């Protein structure tokens, strides 16, 4: 029976709860706002399935990618985080009669997995959402579609994909999986509180949100809610995410790094674009695509997008999300302890952001001002 005594050993993927034949495991939220499995010992039949499917206990083996590409889709650049590779893959699966699973914002901006069998369903999945998504019954639904002979494209974090694979066992014939170089997932409970704090401050409901607004720049992207847009480092939720403060405990021990992927394809921001693929270096976005399997290779070469082969080293350069996990920040425990009692959550969060030196802040503001002027002149 699964018992979580050390939270850093549970990634919250739901594989154990879904696989349990006695349905004795439920996911419960902890004080930091992350979901963990809790098993009822009175219902447990001792089959050990929960431990067999756990991707933290049974992670994928490391392997070198079959191929690495710099890629992008001109059609999908604006609404996607990196090079718009995901919507191209999703479109191809849907046009082939398949179903796509990906993360969306629900009406209250909670992040959760949803499925799409029509092209319109892909739109809300585009764009990175920096909070751990609620999978609901996604694993069971994928299993059912595959059993019915449907093609399925599942996109998610590396741990979600590894958990899904372990849960499905051999039922993976029609399955294609896409994960991404993952910096780590912030607390969904913190995100939901933050949205409420933003709404309380602006005095109304937030209608639209983007963690990766690149209308000004891909490299210096903005966090936007309705018509308020700030460079990501100036938003406290985003600043704490990139400073690793709000990540799930298991992210600091992530075993799905450096090629230990269960997916067919791994997508990433190609931050090294200037050297790796200079033709894409126009600050509108570019992706690195790590092709992990022959299935992934067939899919990625069947879609229409610009791509060029690059070396893994070139694609991973400047990208902290691919190799080593983040270190636990010194003030992480203190941060989460005070979140519940903070009377002004936004001010409280700002208090934990490590500010850059003044000269760097001035340099950034001047650079942004000049870049805005340049874009206006070009238009
Ligand atoms: C939490 C998180 C951390 C990341 N860390 C890094 C990193 O360190 N380095 C890096 O290069 N890239 C990172 N990425 C990935 C990157 O931001 C892009 O999502 C990726 O390159 C795909 O870009 P795209 O333009 O092809 O996809 P888009 O069209 O933008 O589609 C986004 C895809 O991501 C999925 N997705 C979005 N949010 C979530 C979520 N919360 N949980 C599960 N799936 C989600 C969607 O289902 C969709 O498939 C991260 C993404 C997330 C969500």
């Amino acid at each position: 029976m699964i018992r979580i005594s050390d939270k850093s050993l549970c990634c919250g993927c739901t594989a154990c709860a879904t696989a349990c034949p006695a349905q004795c495991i439920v996911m419960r939220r902890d004080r930091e706002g992350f979901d963990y499995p809790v098993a009822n010992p009175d219902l447990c039949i001792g089959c050990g399935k929960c431990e067999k499917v756990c991707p933290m206990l049974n992670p994928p083996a490391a392997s070198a990618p079959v191929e690495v590409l710099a890629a992008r889709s001109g059609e999908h650049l604006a609404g996607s985080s990196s090079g718009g590779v995901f919507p191209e893959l999703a479109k191809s699966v849907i046009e082939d009669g398949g179903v796509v699973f990906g993360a969306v914002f629900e009406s209250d901006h909670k992040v959760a997995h949803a499925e799409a069998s029509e092209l319109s369903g892909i739109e809300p999945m585009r764009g990175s959402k920096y909070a751990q998504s609620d999978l609901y019954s996604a694993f069971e639904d994928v299993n059912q579609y595959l059993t019915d002979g449907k093609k399925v494209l599942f996109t998610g974090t590396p741990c979600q994909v590894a958990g899904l694979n372990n849960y499905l066992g051999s039922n993976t014939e029609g399955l294609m999986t896409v994960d991404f170089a993952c910096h780590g997932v912030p607390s969904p409970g913190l995100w939901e509180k933050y949205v409420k704090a933003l709404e309380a401050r602006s005095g109304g409901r937030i209608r639209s949100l983007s963690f990766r607004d690149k209308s000004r720049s891909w490299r210096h992207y903005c966090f936007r809610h309705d018509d308020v847009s700030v460079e990501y480092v100036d938003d406290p939720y985003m600043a704490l995410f990139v400073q690793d403060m709000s990540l799930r405990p298991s992210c600091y021990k992530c075993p799905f790094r450096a090629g230990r992927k269960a997916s067919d394809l791994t997508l990433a921001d190609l931050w090294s674009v200037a050297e790796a693929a200079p033709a894409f270096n126009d600050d509108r976005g570019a992706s690195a695509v790590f092709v992990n399997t022959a299935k992934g290779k067939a899919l990625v070469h069947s879609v229409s997008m610009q791509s060029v082969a690059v070396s893994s080293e070139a694609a991973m350069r400047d990208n902290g999300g691919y190799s080593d996990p983040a270190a636990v920040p010194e003030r992480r425990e203190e941060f989460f302890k005070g979140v519940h009692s903070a009377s002004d959550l936004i001010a409280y969060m700002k208090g934990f952001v490590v500010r850059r030196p003044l000269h760097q802040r001035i340099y950034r503001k001047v650079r942004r001002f000049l870049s805005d002027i340049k874009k206006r002149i070009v238009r």
Side-chain angles (χ1 to χ4, degrees), residues 76-77 79-87 89 100-104 111-113 122 124-133 154-157 160 178-186 212 214 241 257 266-271 286-288 319-322:
H76 297 296
L77 276 180
S80 287
S81 294
S82 311
V85 174
F86 159 71
L89 304 172
V100 175
F101 285 76
V104 301
V111 180
H113 262 65
I122 299 172
M125 295 175 184
R126 294 172 68 197
S128 298
K129 287 101 188 162
Y130 295 123
Q132 187 164 29
S133 71
F154 180 90
T155 62
T157 61
Q160 288 173 336
V178 175
D179 60 10
F180 38 81
C182 185
H183 174 95
V185 283
R212 295 286 300 254
K214 24 179 199 179
F241 164 52
R257 298 274 182 146
T266 299
L267 306 180
D269 284 285
L270 186 68
W271 295 127
S287 293
N319 198 330
Y322 196 81

Side-chain angles (χ1 to χ4, degrees), residues 68-74 76-77 80-89 128 178-181 212 214 218 265-273 276-277 280-282 284-291 300 305-311 314-316 319:
V68 185
L69 303 169
R72 69 178 189 173
S73 154
H76 297 296
L77 276 180
S80 287
S81 294
S82 311
V85 174
F86 159 71
E88 283 296 345
L89 304 172
S128 298
V178 175
D179 60 10
F180 38 81
R212 295 286 300 254
K214 24 179 199 179
W218 161 56
L265 297 167
T266 299
L267 306 180
D269 284 285
L270 186 68
W271 295 127
S272 57
V273 64
F280 300 162
N281 188 24
D282 57 9
R284 293 193 299 141
S287 293
V289 182
F290 295 83
V291 181
V300 85
M305 60 183 181
Q306 299 168 272
S307 70
V308 54
V310 294
S311 70
M316 286 183 287
N319 198 330

Side-chain angles (χ1 to χ4, degrees), residues 3-11 36 56 249-250 253:
R3 228 185 284 257
I4 310 298
S5 50
D6 176 351
K7 287 189 171 170
S8 71
L9 299 179
C10 172
C11 62
Y36 290 90
M56 296 295 283
S250 59
K253 286 191 183 163

